Protein backbone atom coordinates (compact mmCIF):
# COMPACT_ATOMS: atom_id res chain seq x y z
CA UNK A 1 0.00 0.00 0.00
CA UNK A 2 2.90 2.34 0.55
CA UNK A 3 5.75 2.66 -1.84
CA UNK A 4 9.22 1.59 -0.92
CA UNK A 5 11.51 4.48 0.04
CA UNK A 6 13.53 6.14 -2.68
CA UNK A 7 17.25 5.35 -2.67
CA UNK A 8 19.12 7.54 -0.20
CA UNK A 9 20.85 10.69 -1.37
CA UNK A 10 24.11 11.30 0.45
CA UNK A 11 24.34 14.61 2.23
CA UNK A 12 28.13 14.46 2.28
CA UNK A 13 28.45 15.14 6.00
CA UNK A 14 26.84 12.22 7.78
CA UNK A 15 27.69 13.33 11.32
CA UNK A 16 26.37 16.80 10.75
CA UNK A 17 23.09 18.20 9.57
CA UNK A 18 22.00 19.57 6.25
CA UNK A 19 20.33 22.96 6.37
CA UNK A 20 17.84 23.17 3.51
CA UNK A 21 16.35 26.49 2.49
CA UNK A 22 14.84 26.07 -0.94
CA UNK A 23 12.96 28.91 -2.58
CA UNK A 24 9.16 29.03 -2.42
CA UNK A 25 7.58 25.73 -3.50
CA UNK A 26 4.00 24.68 -4.15
CA UNK A 27 2.15 23.09 -1.24
CA UNK A 28 2.43 19.53 -2.67
CA UNK A 29 6.15 20.04 -3.36
CA UNK A 30 6.76 21.27 0.17
CA UNK A 31 4.97 18.31 1.73
CA UNK A 32 6.68 15.89 -0.66
CA UNK A 33 10.07 17.27 0.35
CA UNK A 34 9.32 16.82 4.05
CA UNK A 35 8.11 13.28 3.36
CA UNK A 36 11.31 12.58 1.44
CA UNK A 37 13.43 13.74 4.38
CA UNK A 38 11.77 11.05 6.48
CA UNK A 39 13.31 8.42 4.22
CA UNK A 40 16.77 9.94 3.85
CA UNK A 41 19.74 9.25 6.12
CA UNK A 42 21.22 12.06 8.17
CA UNK A 43 19.87 15.12 9.93
CA UNK A 44 17.98 17.87 8.14
CA UNK A 45 16.79 21.26 9.35
CA UNK A 46 14.59 22.83 6.79
CA UNK A 47 13.02 26.24 6.14
CA UNK A 48 9.69 25.95 4.31
CA UNK A 49 8.69 28.75 1.99
CA UNK A 50 5.27 28.84 0.30
CA UNK A 51 4.42 30.16 -3.15
CA UNK A 52 1.04 31.33 -1.84
CA UNK A 53 -1.06 30.95 1.31
CA UNK A 54 -2.16 27.35 1.78
CA UNK A 55 -3.68 25.10 4.40
CA UNK A 56 -2.03 21.87 5.51
CA UNK A 57 -4.13 19.14 7.08
CA UNK A 58 -3.05 16.42 9.48
CA UNK A 59 -2.49 13.02 7.85
CA UNK A 60 -5.76 11.53 9.14
CA UNK A 61 -7.65 14.67 10.06
CA UNK A 62 -11.24 14.52 8.72
CA UNK A 63 -11.86 16.91 5.83
CA UNK A 64 -13.32 20.00 7.52
CA UNK A 65 -16.90 20.67 6.53
CA UNK A 66 -18.14 24.25 6.67
CA UNK A 67 -19.86 23.77 10.04
CA UNK A 68 -16.61 22.61 11.64
CA UNK A 69 -14.35 25.38 10.48
CA UNK A 70 -15.17 28.07 13.07
CA UNK A 71 -13.68 30.93 11.08
CA UNK A 72 -11.10 28.81 9.29
CA UNK A 73 -10.94 29.65 5.56
CA UNK A 74 -12.81 27.73 2.89
CA UNK A 75 -10.52 25.12 1.31
CA UNK A 76 -10.28 22.79 -1.66
CA UNK A 77 -7.93 19.83 -2.11
CA UNK A 78 -4.65 20.53 -3.91
CA UNK A 79 -4.74 19.11 -7.41
CA UNK A 80 -8.46 19.82 -7.83
CA UNK A 81 -9.12 22.10 -10.81
CA UNK A 82 -10.69 24.54 -11.21
CA UNK A 83 -10.35 25.89 -7.68
CA UNK A 84 -13.51 27.48 -6.22
CA UNK A 85 -13.16 31.28 -5.98
CA UNK A 86 -12.08 32.54 -2.56
CA UNK A 87 -10.98 29.09 -1.50
CA UNK A 88 -7.46 28.15 -0.37
CA UNK A 89 -5.68 25.03 -1.56
CA UNK A 90 -5.21 22.36 1.11
CA UNK A 91 -2.63 19.58 1.16
CA UNK A 92 -2.20 16.73 3.60
CA UNK A 93 0.94 16.40 5.65
CA UNK A 94 2.77 13.18 6.46
CA UNK A 95 2.46 14.24 10.10
CA UNK A 96 -0.52 14.21 12.43
CA UNK A 97 -2.39 16.99 14.21
CA UNK A 98 -4.76 19.70 13.01
CA UNK A 99 -5.05 22.17 10.13
CA UNK A 100 -2.63 25.06 9.77
CA UNK A 101 -2.94 28.15 7.60
CA UNK A 102 0.49 28.94 6.17
CA UNK A 103 1.68 32.10 4.54
CA UNK A 104 2.51 34.52 7.33
CA UNK A 105 3.94 31.91 9.69
CA UNK A 106 7.47 30.58 10.08
CA UNK A 107 7.32 26.98 8.89
CA UNK A 108 10.21 24.64 9.56
CA UNK A 109 10.90 20.92 9.53
CA UNK A 110 13.42 18.73 11.32
CA UNK A 111 14.19 15.17 10.28
CA UNK A 112 16.62 12.73 11.82
CA UNK A 113 17.16 9.44 13.54
CA UNK A 114 15.00 8.34 16.43
CA UNK A 115 16.02 6.99 18.83
CA UNK A 116 19.30 8.90 18.75
CA UNK A 117 21.43 11.17 20.89
CA UNK A 118 18.98 14.00 20.16
CA UNK A 119 15.77 12.07 20.81
CA UNK A 120 16.61 9.16 23.10
CA UNK A 121 13.03 7.80 23.22
CA UNK A 122 10.93 6.86 20.21
CA UNK A 123 7.94 8.39 21.92
CA UNK A 124 5.73 11.10 20.39
CA UNK A 125 5.30 12.83 23.73
CA UNK A 126 9.00 12.79 24.56
CA UNK A 127 10.07 14.03 21.11
CA UNK A 128 7.36 16.71 21.06
CA UNK A 129 8.36 18.00 24.48
CA UNK A 130 12.05 18.17 23.58
CA UNK A 131 11.49 20.00 20.31
CA UNK A 132 8.98 22.48 21.72
CA UNK A 133 11.36 23.30 24.56
CA UNK A 134 14.12 24.00 22.06
CA UNK A 135 11.83 26.02 19.81
CA UNK A 136 10.66 28.18 22.68
CA UNK A 137 14.30 28.94 23.53
CA UNK A 138 14.73 30.45 20.08
CA UNK A 139 12.50 33.27 21.27
CA UNK A 140 13.89 33.79 24.74
CA UNK A 141 11.98 36.35 26.69
CA UNK A 142 8.93 35.81 24.50
CA UNK A 143 8.02 32.14 24.53
CA UNK A 144 7.83 29.04 26.67
CA UNK A 145 6.47 25.52 26.42
CA UNK A 146 2.89 25.19 27.64
CA UNK A 147 3.48 21.98 29.60
CA UNK A 148 0.72 20.47 31.73
CA UNK A 149 -1.31 17.43 30.86
CA UNK A 150 -3.93 18.57 28.36
CA UNK A 151 -5.99 15.70 26.90
CA UNK A 152 -5.43 16.40 23.22
CA UNK A 153 -7.52 13.51 21.96
CA UNK A 154 -10.63 15.40 23.10
CA UNK A 155 -9.80 18.16 20.60
CA UNK A 156 -9.77 16.06 17.43
CA UNK A 157 -13.00 17.70 16.27
CA UNK A 158 -11.37 21.15 16.26
CA UNK A 159 -10.13 21.92 12.74
CA UNK A 160 -7.55 24.60 13.48
CA UNK A 161 -4.31 23.48 15.13
CA UNK A 162 -4.01 26.88 16.75
CA UNK A 163 -7.36 26.42 18.49
CA UNK A 164 -6.21 23.12 19.99
CA UNK A 165 -4.20 22.96 23.19
CA UNK A 166 -1.24 20.69 23.78
CA UNK A 167 1.52 20.40 26.37
CA UNK A 168 4.01 20.76 23.50
CA UNK A 169 2.62 24.11 22.31
CA UNK A 170 4.99 27.06 22.16
CA UNK A 171 3.14 29.82 24.01
CA UNK A 172 3.53 33.49 24.87
CA UNK A 173 1.91 35.37 27.72
CA UNK A 174 -1.34 37.08 26.86
CA UNK A 175 -3.69 39.26 28.90
CA UNK A 176 -5.93 36.25 29.62
CA UNK A 177 -3.26 33.59 29.89
CA UNK A 178 -0.95 31.76 27.48
CA UNK A 179 -1.53 32.23 23.74
CA UNK A 180 -0.48 29.47 21.36
CA UNK A 181 2.36 30.84 19.22
CA UNK A 182 3.61 27.60 17.75
CA UNK A 183 2.48 24.06 17.12
CA UNK A 184 4.25 20.90 16.01
CA UNK A 185 3.28 17.65 14.32
CA UNK A 186 5.28 14.44 13.93
CA UNK A 187 5.71 11.34 11.82
CA UNK A 188 7.77 8.25 12.65
CA UNK A 189 8.97 5.87 9.98
CA UNK A 190 11.73 3.23 9.97
CA UNK A 191 13.89 4.62 12.76
CA UNK A 192 13.36 8.20 11.67
CA UNK A 193 11.27 11.11 12.85
CA UNK A 194 9.94 14.12 10.96
CA UNK A 195 8.83 17.16 12.93
CA UNK A 196 6.95 19.96 11.21
CA UNK A 197 6.49 23.20 13.11
CA UNK A 198 4.50 26.35 12.47
CA UNK A 199 5.36 29.43 14.49
CA UNK A 200 3.40 32.70 14.54
CA UNK A 201 5.77 35.45 13.45
CA UNK A 202 3.56 38.17 14.91
CA UNK A 203 3.70 36.77 18.44
CA UNK A 204 7.31 35.61 18.39
CA UNK A 205 8.92 38.57 16.63
CA UNK A 206 10.34 36.05 14.18
CA UNK A 207 11.57 38.21 11.32
CA UNK A 208 12.15 36.49 7.96
CA UNK A 209 15.67 37.90 7.81
CA UNK A 210 16.51 35.90 10.94
CA UNK A 211 15.09 32.58 9.73
CA UNK A 212 18.34 30.93 8.71
CA UNK A 213 20.15 32.15 11.80
CA UNK A 214 17.30 30.81 13.95
CA UNK A 215 17.52 27.42 12.23
CA UNK A 216 21.26 27.32 12.92
CA UNK A 217 20.60 28.18 16.56
CA UNK A 218 18.07 25.38 16.70
CA UNK A 219 20.74 23.01 15.38
CA UNK A 220 23.04 24.05 18.23
CA UNK A 221 20.23 23.70 20.78
CA UNK A 222 19.63 20.16 19.53
CA UNK A 223 23.31 19.36 19.96
CA UNK A 224 24.00 18.98 16.27
CA UNK A 225 27.35 20.10 14.93
CA UNK A 226 27.88 22.50 12.06
CA UNK A 227 25.80 22.34 8.95
CA UNK A 228 26.09 21.93 5.26
CA UNK A 229 23.81 24.54 3.77
CA UNK A 230 21.74 24.39 0.60
CA UNK A 231 19.80 27.48 -0.36
CA UNK A 232 17.74 28.10 -3.45
CA UNK A 233 17.61 25.42 -6.12
CA UNK A 234 17.70 21.92 -4.62
CA UNK A 235 19.16 20.27 -7.68
CA UNK A 236 17.89 17.61 -10.06
CA UNK A 237 18.06 14.46 -7.87
CA UNK A 238 15.93 16.11 -5.20
CA UNK A 239 13.50 17.58 -7.69
CA UNK A 240 12.96 14.22 -9.38
CA UNK A 241 12.11 12.53 -6.13
CA UNK A 242 9.86 15.40 -5.05
CA UNK A 243 8.00 15.24 -8.38
CA UNK A 244 7.47 11.51 -7.97
CA UNK A 245 5.94 11.94 -4.52
CA UNK A 246 3.77 14.82 -5.72
CA UNK A 247 2.42 12.56 -8.46
CA UNK A 248 1.95 9.58 -6.16
CA UNK A 249 0.36 11.37 -3.27
CA UNK A 250 0.61 15.05 -2.38
CA UNK A 251 -0.71 16.38 -5.69
CA UNK A 252 -3.62 13.93 -5.76
CA UNK A 253 -6.92 15.66 -4.84
CA UNK A 254 -8.48 12.39 -3.71
CA UNK A 255 -5.62 11.68 -1.34
CA UNK A 256 -5.64 15.27 -0.09
CA UNK A 257 -9.38 15.16 0.62
CA UNK A 258 -8.83 11.95 2.60
CA UNK B 1 8.67 -3.13 32.37
CA UNK B 2 6.14 -3.97 29.69
CA UNK B 3 4.58 -7.39 29.34
CA UNK B 4 6.34 -9.41 26.58
CA UNK B 5 4.55 -12.71 25.88
CA UNK B 6 6.88 -15.56 25.02
CA UNK B 7 4.47 -17.20 22.58
CA UNK B 8 5.18 -14.75 19.77
CA UNK B 9 8.00 -13.09 17.87
CA UNK B 10 8.89 -9.44 17.42
CA UNK B 11 10.25 -6.91 14.98
CA UNK B 12 12.71 -4.37 16.37
CA UNK B 13 10.13 -1.73 15.34
CA UNK B 14 7.76 -3.23 17.98
CA UNK B 15 5.28 -5.23 15.88
CA UNK B 16 4.58 -8.81 17.04
CA UNK B 17 3.71 -11.96 15.09
CA UNK B 18 1.97 -15.03 16.46
CA UNK B 19 1.55 -18.19 14.37
CA UNK B 20 -1.92 -19.65 14.90
CA UNK B 21 -3.32 -22.52 12.81
CA UNK B 22 -1.46 -21.62 9.66
CA UNK B 23 -2.04 -17.87 9.96
CA UNK B 24 0.17 -15.15 11.36
CA UNK B 25 -1.59 -12.68 13.65
CA UNK B 26 0.07 -9.25 13.75
CA UNK B 27 -0.11 -6.48 16.33
CA UNK B 28 2.02 -3.95 18.17
CA UNK B 29 3.68 -4.56 21.51
CA UNK B 30 2.55 -3.20 24.84
CA UNK B 31 5.72 -1.11 24.93
CA UNK B 32 4.83 0.50 21.60
CA UNK B 33 1.24 1.12 22.68
CA UNK B 34 2.47 2.81 25.85
CA UNK B 35 4.96 4.96 23.96
CA UNK B 36 2.37 6.05 21.40
CA UNK B 37 -0.05 7.29 24.04
CA UNK B 38 -3.61 8.25 23.10
CA UNK B 39 -4.49 6.80 19.68
CA UNK B 40 -6.82 8.69 17.36
CA UNK B 41 -6.68 7.10 13.87
CA UNK B 42 -5.49 3.93 12.21
CA UNK B 43 -5.15 2.91 8.57
CA UNK B 44 -4.89 -0.81 7.85
CA UNK B 45 -4.66 -2.72 4.56
CA UNK B 46 -7.68 -4.40 3.00
CA UNK B 47 -8.30 -8.12 3.00
CA UNK B 48 -6.49 -9.56 0.00
CA UNK B 49 -3.64 -7.02 0.08
CA UNK B 50 -0.10 -8.35 0.06
CA UNK B 51 2.26 -7.41 2.88
CA UNK B 52 6.04 -7.63 2.80
CA UNK B 53 8.43 -8.39 5.63
CA UNK B 54 9.82 -5.29 7.35
CA UNK B 55 7.87 -2.98 5.04
CA UNK B 56 5.14 -0.56 6.02
CA UNK B 57 1.60 -1.93 5.79
CA UNK B 58 -0.32 0.73 7.65
CA UNK B 59 -0.16 3.83 9.79
CA UNK B 60 -1.37 4.76 13.24
CA UNK B 61 -1.83 8.24 14.66
CA UNK B 62 -1.47 9.08 18.27
CA UNK B 63 -1.91 12.69 19.16
CA UNK B 64 0.09 14.78 16.66
CA UNK B 65 2.23 11.82 15.53
CA UNK B 66 1.78 9.39 12.65
CA UNK B 67 3.75 6.15 12.98
CA UNK B 68 4.34 3.50 10.33
CA UNK B 69 3.33 -0.12 10.98
CA UNK B 70 5.72 -2.70 9.55
CA UNK B 71 4.91 -6.26 8.62
CA UNK B 72 6.74 -9.11 10.38
CA UNK B 73 5.82 -11.50 7.56
CA UNK B 74 5.48 -11.88 3.79
CA UNK B 75 2.00 -12.88 2.73
CA UNK B 76 -1.63 -11.98 2.04
CA UNK B 77 -3.97 -10.28 4.49
CA UNK B 78 -7.00 -12.48 5.16
CA UNK B 79 -8.58 -10.66 8.08
CA UNK B 80 -8.46 -7.11 9.40
CA UNK B 81 -9.53 -5.99 12.85
CA UNK B 82 -12.12 -3.52 11.55
CA UNK B 83 -13.25 -2.59 15.05
CA UNK B 84 -10.05 -0.59 15.42
CA UNK B 85 -11.06 1.87 12.72
CA UNK B 86 -13.81 3.27 14.96
CA UNK B 87 -11.98 2.89 18.25
CA UNK B 88 -8.34 2.17 18.88
CA UNK B 89 -8.87 1.61 22.59
CA UNK B 90 -8.30 -2.15 22.24
CA UNK B 91 -4.73 -1.51 21.10
CA UNK B 92 -3.95 0.45 24.25
CA UNK B 93 -5.89 -1.80 26.59
CA UNK B 94 -5.11 -5.22 25.13
CA UNK B 95 -2.31 -4.96 22.52
CA UNK B 96 -1.60 -8.70 22.52
CA UNK B 97 -5.19 -9.93 22.33
CA UNK B 98 -8.19 -7.76 21.37
CA UNK B 99 -5.88 -5.17 19.83
CA UNK B 100 -4.52 -7.40 17.06
CA UNK B 101 -4.30 -5.62 13.70
CA UNK B 102 -4.28 -8.10 10.80
CA UNK B 103 -4.13 -11.84 10.10
CA UNK B 104 -1.91 -12.99 7.27
CA UNK B 105 -1.49 -16.21 5.27
CA UNK B 106 2.30 -16.39 5.11
CA UNK B 107 3.79 -16.73 1.64
CA UNK B 108 6.99 -18.09 3.15
CA UNK B 109 8.88 -18.17 6.42
CA UNK B 110 11.85 -16.07 5.30
CA UNK B 111 10.67 -13.10 7.35
CA UNK B 112 9.52 -15.05 10.37
CA UNK B 113 12.94 -16.63 10.68
CA UNK B 114 14.48 -13.18 11.18
CA UNK B 115 12.20 -12.03 14.01
CA UNK B 116 13.32 -11.57 17.60
CA UNK B 117 12.14 -13.94 20.28
CA UNK B 118 10.74 -12.50 23.51
CA UNK B 119 14.13 -12.59 25.28
CA UNK B 120 15.90 -10.73 22.48
CA UNK B 121 13.08 -8.20 22.23
CA UNK B 122 13.21 -7.65 25.97
CA UNK B 123 16.97 -7.11 25.69
CA UNK B 124 16.36 -4.54 22.96
CA UNK B 125 14.05 -2.67 25.31
CA UNK B 126 16.77 -2.63 27.91
CA UNK B 127 15.09 -5.14 30.15
CA UNK B 128 18.02 -7.54 30.54
Amino acid sequence: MLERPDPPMRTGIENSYHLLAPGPLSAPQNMALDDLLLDQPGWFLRLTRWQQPVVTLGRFQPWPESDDRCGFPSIHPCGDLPAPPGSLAAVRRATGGGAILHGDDLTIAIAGDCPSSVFSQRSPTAVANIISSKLSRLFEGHASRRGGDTREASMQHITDCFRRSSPSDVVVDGPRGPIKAGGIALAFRRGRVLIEASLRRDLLEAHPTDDLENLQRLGLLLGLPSAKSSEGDLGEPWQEQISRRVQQRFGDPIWNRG
Amino acid sequence: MSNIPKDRQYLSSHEWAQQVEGLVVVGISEHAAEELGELVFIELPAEGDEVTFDTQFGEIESVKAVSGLNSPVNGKVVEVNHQLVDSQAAISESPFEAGWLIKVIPADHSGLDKLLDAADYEAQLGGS
Side-chain angles (χ1 to χ4, degrees):
Chain A
M1 54 181 277
L2 290 167
E3 67 278 9
R4 280 188 166 280
D6 290 313
M9 291 182 295
R10 311 302 289 182
T11 60
I13 311 172
E14 300 307 326
N15 294 323
S16 182
Y17 72 93
H18 196 154
L19 192 150
L20 293 174
L25 299 175
S26 71
Q29 286 173 324
N30 270 328
M31 293 302 93
L33 174 53
D34 283 357
D35 190 65
L36 182 55
L37 299 182
L38 199 44
D39 293 329
Q40 295 293 319
W43 282 91
F44 296 90
L45 269 61
R46 193 237 154 155
L47 180 62
T48 305
R49 296 177 172 123
W50 307 92
Q51 288 175 344
Q52 56 200 21
V54 298
V55 168
T56 62
L57 298 171
R59 170 70 181 88
F60 291 110
Q61 178 178 18
W63 182 262
E65 300 303 335
S66 55
D67 291 349
D68 305 329
R69 291 203 304 264
C70 294
F72 209 67
S74 171
I75 58 174
H76 64 273
C78 271
D80 220 6
L81 294 173
S87 164
L88 290 178
V91 63
R92 288 212 178 259
R93 304 188 298 265
T95 55
I100 297 176
L101 171 59
H102 300 279
D104 292 331
D105 67 326
L106 165 57
T107 316
I108 64 171
I110 301 130
D113 295 336
C114 184
S116 63
S117 59
V118 177
F119 303 118
S120 59
Q121 271 182 282
R122 192 177 169 79
S123 147
T125 303
V127 172
N129 288 344
I130 288 171
I131 202 70
S132 62
S133 294
K134 306 298 184 193
L135 285 173
S136 64
R137 286 184 59 191
L138 284 183
F139 308 99
E140 269 170 305
H142 299 292
S144 59
R145 182 168 75 81
R146 187 190 299 272
D149 58 356
T150 321
R151 301 275 301 175
E152 294 171 77
S154 64
M155 296 179 205
Q156 293 304 306
H157 65 287
I158 300 174
T159 297
D160 184 354
C161 165
F162 278 84
R163 291 169 65 94
R164 298 182 181 188
S165 179
S166 159
S168 63
D169 291 341
V170 175
V171 295
V172 295
D173 288 333
R176 294 177 191 166
I179 301 172
K180 185 167 181 172
I184 61 172
L186 304 95
F188 292 87
R189 190 184 297 163
R190 315 264 352 123
R192 303 270 300 164
V193 64
L194 167 69
I195 303 145
E196 294 173 319
S198 170
L199 301 160
R200 281 184 58 176
R201 289 188 185 279
D202 56 333
L203 295 175
L204 294 168
E205 299 180 22
H207 302 291
T209 50
D210 298 332
D211 286 350
L212 288 179
E213 188 182 333
N214 274 333
L215 268 186
Q216 287 167 339
R217 284 182 60 210
L218 180 61
L220 289 173
L221 288 168
L222 291 170
L224 295 168
S226 59
K228 174 189 176 185
S229 181
S230 299
E231 290 185 57
D233 188 359
L234 284 171
E236 205 166 303
W238 287 89
Q239 285 168 355
E240 281 176 10
Q241 296 198 40
I242 290 169
S243 295
R244 195 153 53 238
R245 288 181 191 224
V246 167
Q247 276 188 333
Q248 289 169 340
R249 177 171 279 191
F250 298 98
D252 177 356
I254 297 169
W255 191 80
N256 282 323
R257 182 172 277 278
Chain B
M1 186 63 200
S2 299
N3 177 34
I4 303 174
K6 292 184 169 58
D7 62 352
R8 56 202 82 193
Q9 298 165 280
Y10 300 84
L11 268 175
S12 59
S13 51
H14 308 294
E15 292 83 0
W16 55 259
Q18 184 182 34
Q19 300 183 56
V20 181
E21 297 174 353
L23 298 180
V24 176
V25 188
V26 176
I28 64 169
S29 71
E30 185 175 292
H31 171 82
E34 289 170 353
E35 291 286 283
L36 286 170
E38 292 175 275
L39 303 175
V40 289
F41 294 104
I42 191 166
E43 183 178 79
L44 295 171
E47 278 116 3
D49 282 358
E50 302 280 344
V51 291
T52 304
F53 173 74
D54 210 17
T55 298
Q56 190 165 306
F57 70 83
E59 289 180 301
I60 192 165
E61 181 171 344
S62 52
V63 175
K64 289 176 172 293
V66 174
S67 300
L69 299 164
N70 301 313
S71 176
V73 61
N74 295 315
K76 181 183 283 188
V77 177
V78 292
E79 195 174 342
V80 175
N81 191 347
H82 292 291
Q83 291 184 341
L84 299 177
V85 175
D86 292 327
S87 169
Q88 300 79 41
I91 299 174
S92 307
E93 292 163 5
S94 175
F96 291 113
E97 300 297 338
W100 64 273
L101 305 177
I102 55 173
K103 295 181 182 178
V104 178
I105 293 182
D108 57 51
H109 282 70
S110 61
L112 294 168
D113 293 343
K114 296 174 188 167
L115 296 175
L116 305 172
D117 62 19
D120 288 340
Y121 180 62
E122 186 175 2
Q124 178 192 293
L125 298 183
S128 62

